Amino acid sequence: MADIGSVLDTPSTGGSTYYDESQDTPPVPMPEGNYPAHVVDCATATRDVRGKHKAVIYNLKVKIAKEAGNMEYNGVDMDGNKVTVNGSKYVGRELRSAGIFKFLHPTDDDDFESNPGGNRGYMSFCEAFGFEPKQVEVEINGQKSTVKEIPDVTADDLVGKPVMCVVRKGKPWTSERDGKTRTPLEAKYFNVWNEGAELSDKELDGDDDDLPF
């Protein structure tokens, strides 16, 4: 029989516990798909491209909106089973976007070449946020052409705006810490979210006690 001193020195392990297989629901990593979201941050950088063009690159951070709770997604749980999951599990999650390139048009003082044919992605990006191009006549590489002039969109124009994100797997990367390769999800493309409402300053600042997420 253990004496009082040894009993007091023995930490409690809580006694018996139970496992109910019927209540074991493995987590489901966020599936690829279309998610309603809001832009919560936007950074831009100007870079040379292929040694002859110049582009402004937009990198967005989006937050999955509460309306995702009205949508279902086909995913795979941690045990490898195909499942249908409600989007409410991912409300509030933040994702980075793939870089959106806006190829710049050179002035007389610039030594880089224009690349108007490369701006399809930027035009679609602008249209997803309601910024429509207009037809204009310009001179490109010495010749006049009728083209679509795409608006100059700034970070202030985008933050808080609603948008439908096409979420896909991004480029794999290997961690220097543990050597494991990971493939993050990112907002690959953007489409118009007609029913989406712009976030207020209060919601952007995180003062969202009245929101259900």
Side-chain angles (χ1 to χ4, degrees):
M1 180 177 179
D3 59 32
I4 293 177
S6 64
V7 170
L8 293 176
D9 291 339
T10 303
S12 171
T13 55
S16 298
T17 190
Y18 308 96
Y19 171 65
D20 185 347
E21 185 175 3
S22 66
Q23 297 187 33
D24 185 0
T25 55
V28 181
M30 186 176 182
E32 295 181 319
N34 298 332
Y35 290 83
H38 292 93
V39 179
V40 293
D41 194 21
C42 175
T44 60
T46 303
R47 296 285 185 268
D48 292 328
V49 181
R50 304 186 194 97
K52 59 181 180 178
H53 306 305
K54 184 164 293 205
V56 174
I57 305 171
Y58 294 74
N59 292 288
L60 275 57
K61 182 192 292 184
V62 300
K63 179 183 285 189
I64 304 302
K66 64 181 183 297
E67 286 82 357
N70 301 323
M71 305 173 74
E72 301 289 327
Y73 299 90
N74 295 321
V76 179
D77 68 22
M78 297 299 288
D79 289 342
N81 302 309
K82 292 183 179 180
V83 295
T84 299
V85 61
N86 185 268
S88 60
K89 292 181 178 293
Y90 314 108
V91 170
R93 178 166 175 175
E94 294 184 351
L95 298 173
R96 298 282 181 179
S97 74
I100 299 99
F101 283 65
K102 178 177 75 172
F103 286 96
L104 302 178
H105 188 69
T107 66
D108 293 338
D109 296 329
D110 293 318
D111 58 3
F112 63 87
E113 298 178 18
S114 64
N115 183 27
N119 274 327
R120 177 189 292 183
Y122 177 67
M123 184 176 69
S124 297
F125 169 73
C126 289
E127 290 174 335
F129 289 96
F131 303 105
E132 297 292 337
K134 62 181 180 180
Q135 296 279 356
V136 297
E137 186 178 84
V138 297
E139 185 174 300
I140 298 177
N141 298 329
Q143 293 189 356
K144 288 188 176 181
S145 301
T146 299
V147 298
K148 292 182 177 180
E149 182 180 24
I150 313 171
D152 181 23
V153 176
T154 68
D156 288 341
D157 296 324
L158 297 170
V159 173
K161 291 291 193 298
V163 72
M164 190 67 69
C165 298
V166 181
V167 175
R168 295 286 186 266
K169 291 180 180 178
K171 293 182 179 180
W173 63 280
T174 302
S175 169
E176 294 182 358
R177 182 174 59 84
D178 57 20
K180 293 183 178 180
T181 299
R182 296 174 172 84
T183 305
L185 290 173
E186 63 184 17
K188 201 80 171 178
Y189 309 106
F190 300 95
N191 293 312
V192 176
W193 178 19
N194 290 317
E195 301 80 13
E198 187 171 352
L199 292 181
S200 67
D201 291 340
K202 180 179 178 181
E203 291 164 333
L204 279 171
D205 291 339
D207 188 3
D208 52 7
D209 294 339
D210 296 332
L211 296 178
F213 61 93

